Amino acid sequence: MDRDMNILYILGVPLGYVMEWIYNLIPNYGWDIIIFTIVIRLLSIPLQLNQQKSMAKMSAFQPMIADIQKKYKDKPEKQQEELMKLQQEFGYKPTAGCMPMLVNFLVMFGVIEVVYRPLQRIFHIGAEAITAAGDAMTALGISFTQVTRDTNIIAQVLAGESTVTSVFTPDQLNTITEFGQHMDFFGIDLTRVPQYSLAADNLPLLIFPILAVVTMFISTHISMKASGQEMQGSMKLTMYMMPLMYVFFCFTVPCAFSLYYVISNIVMTVQTQVMRKIYDPEKMKEQVKAEIASRRKEEKRGVKSTTIKVQDEKTGEVVEKNISASEMNKRRLEYARQQDAERYKDERTVPLSELQNKKED
């Protein structure tokens, strides 16, 4: 067990094995990151479809929520009561679509662990050997951090520094040497961490962080449009301020993370545009509005409705469905008939004379 085991370790280990498999197919760190990102984004399509559908549906509730907030702005308890009523009667779910965002965060932190420690996570070189190599570099007066340790080890192995190479087995040295020859992507060392500096040797490292922030803004803007929701005030500010959080990561994590994030944003933008055709927010908004209007019309006529869970015939998913009181009574009657049929199924084939004899006995 890894002595540095933590949440990043748990998330990074399986992703490290995926990266190893891709690297064995194409031994180029940059292209491996790109392929890895595309694979992860493709696997997340079902979750993103669900998010797109939920966000498009929730956009129909925005005018209703705005009316409630305006009407009861001085009565927070009443406002909360009306919002709860909206959830119970019309199926409004403020947390709908949060799961894909959570999964994206978990994958992101897993990727950070992989690019922090590529020698351990991708090539499975033991922590003891890595630590011993770090001690050897310290003895040589080479300064490094946990983030830059692997980069410095690779550099010393490629330079043939005996005190560092002596801690590794021949197979490990071959692995590190080969990786050191394939970790550049268009001349950019993906194991290095960008700095807030315009120094000549740091300028190439700024390319991917800048692209990461730009693609994040574009992706966020398109995602907001595709959802059909009109975000205002602090929510809108939060959505556009999120890229600043990623700026921090881009300048504290090796460039490989920035490349991952650039590709992730591009792929997600394409997916969003495609899914917008599947779940058009305007069409879904009109559909939900029609459902709400129908339910309110029934309520005015005194017809109560009930929310039940049913299985969608097309997708097989369990979804919530609103049915009227009369429909509910029909379902109950049908269920009672099925129960009776099951209970007396053996007696249907028995002659009436025998049933009469059983009653007399």
Side-chain angles (χ1 to χ4, degrees):
M1 187 66 67
D2 197 310
R3 68 183 182 183
D4 295 326
M5 183 172 180
N6 50 36
I7 185 63
L8 290 182
Y9 171 88
I10 296 170
L11 296 171
V13 168
L15 297 183
Y17 279 102
V18 175
M19 278 291 295
E20 179 192 23
W21 177 74
I22 297 173
Y23 184 84
N24 288 334
L25 294 176
I26 304 174
N28 182 288
Y29 197 28
W31 286 111
D32 295 339
I33 292 288
I34 293 173
I35 295 171
F36 168 83
T37 309
I38 293 172
V39 169
I40 293 297
R41 295 307 316 173
L42 290 177
L43 291 176
S44 70
I45 284 178
L47 284 174
Q48 194 173 357
L49 267 172
N50 185 58
Q51 182 188 40
Q52 182 78 0
K53 180 180 178 180
S54 298
M55 292 179 71
K57 186 177 180 181
M58 290 306 105
S59 66
F61 291 101
Q62 284 197 325
M64 300 171 68
I65 296 169
D67 288 342
I68 291 173
Q69 290 174 338
K70 183 178 180 180
K71 186 176 180 180
Y72 302 106
K73 63 179 180 179
D74 298 324
K75 299 178 180 179
E77 291 184 1
K78 182 64 177 176
Q79 185 182 119
Q80 190 64 28
E81 181 184 331
E82 290 297 316
L83 289 174
M84 287 296 294
K85 187 178 178 182
L86 198 64
Q87 293 182 43
Q88 294 169 357
E89 294 185 359
F90 301 109
Y92 167 63
K93 296 179 182 178
T95 58
C98 290
M99 181 57 70
M101 190 177 297
L102 175 60
V103 172
N104 285 339
F105 269 107
L106 293 177
V107 172
M108 181 190 73
F109 284 113
V111 171
I112 288 175
E113 171 67 10
V114 172
V115 300
Y116 261 159
R117 301 180 175 90
L119 297 182
Q120 286 179 259
R121 302 295 168 247
I122 301 175
F123 303 109
H124 314 298
I125 296 175
E128 294 80 7
I130 298 294
T131 301
D135 293 339
M137 289 192 299
T138 300
L140 291 170
I142 300 172
S143 61
F144 60 92
T145 65
Q146 287 295 314
V147 181
T148 62
R149 183 179 61 180
D150 281 21
T151 305
N152 282 277
I153 289 174
I154 295 168
Q156 294 306 311
V157 169
L158 293 177
E161 177 55 54
S162 59
T163 55
V164 176
T165 58
S166 62
V167 305
F168 297 109
T169 66
D171 287 342
Q172 290 173 340
L173 287 175
N174 289 335
T175 297
I176 295 172
T177 302
E178 182 185 358
F179 180 59
Q181 295 168 350
H182 298 99
M183 63 189 186
D184 282 13
F185 189 63
F186 290 101
I188 300 173
D189 184 349
L190 296 178
T191 66
R192 288 185 59 189
V193 179
Q195 304 298 317
Y196 297 101
S197 169
L198 295 178
D201 64 333
N202 188 64
L203 284 178
L205 304 181
L206 298 177
I207 294 174
F208 289 133
I210 292 172
L211 287 176
V213 174
V214 171
T215 54
M216 174 63 177
F217 272 112
I218 295 172
S219 177
T220 300
H221 179 72
I222 291 176
S223 179
M224 287 173 62
K225 271 195 167 184
S227 70
Q229 299 189 63
E230 297 178 3
M231 297 187 183
Q232 298 177 349
S234 60
M235 186 177 292
K236 187 173 183 179
L237 181 63
T238 300
M239 288 297 293
Y240 281 109
M241 288 295 287
M242 279 184 68
L244 296 180
M245 179 183 70
Y246 291 96
V247 171
F248 169 78
F249 286 120
C250 289
F251 283 93
T252 54
V253 180
C255 279
F257 172 77
S258 296
L259 176 60
Y260 157 80
Y261 200 61
V262 169
I263 303 302
S264 181
N265 288 332
I266 293 172
V267 175
M268 188 161 59
T269 300
V270 174
Q271 287 179 337
T272 299
Q273 292 294 75
V274 173
M275 291 174 190
R276 188 177 184 179
K277 302 294 183 181
I278 301 173
Y279 292 115
D280 186 288
E282 295 305 318
K283 288 182 179 179
M284 291 206 68
K285 189 182 292 185
E286 294 304 317
Q287 180 182 337
V288 174
K289 283 181 178 178
E291 291 175 2
I292 293 172
S294 176
R295 289 199 60 185
R296 284 179 168 170
K297 190 175 180 180
E298 288 182 350
E299 286 177 357
K300 286 182 179 180
R301 289 176 10 217
V303 179
K304 294 184 178 180
S305 61
T306 307
T307 301
I308 63 172
K309 291 184 178 181
V310 297
Q311 188 173 31
D312 191 299
E313 294 180 358
K314 294 181 179 180
T315 64
E317 295 180 357
V318 176
V319 296
E320 291 185 349
K321 181 179 180 181
N322 294 316
I323 60 173
S324 64
S326 60
E327 176 65 21
M328 191 64 190
N329 288 333
K330 287 181 183 178
R331 287 173 178 263
R332 284 176 178 150
L333 181 59
E334 180 63 27
Y335 179 74
R337 286 173 176 169
Q338 290 176 358
Q339 291 292 97
D340 286 344
E342 181 66 25
R343 182 179 299 171
Y344 300 113
K345 64 180 180 180
D346 295 332
E347 297 182 3
R348 289 185 174 183
T349 57
V350 179
L352 290 174
S353 58
E354 292 187 18
L355 288 175
Q356 186 65 29
N357 291 335
K358 285 183 180 180
K359 290 180 179 178
E360 292 176 357
D361 292 343

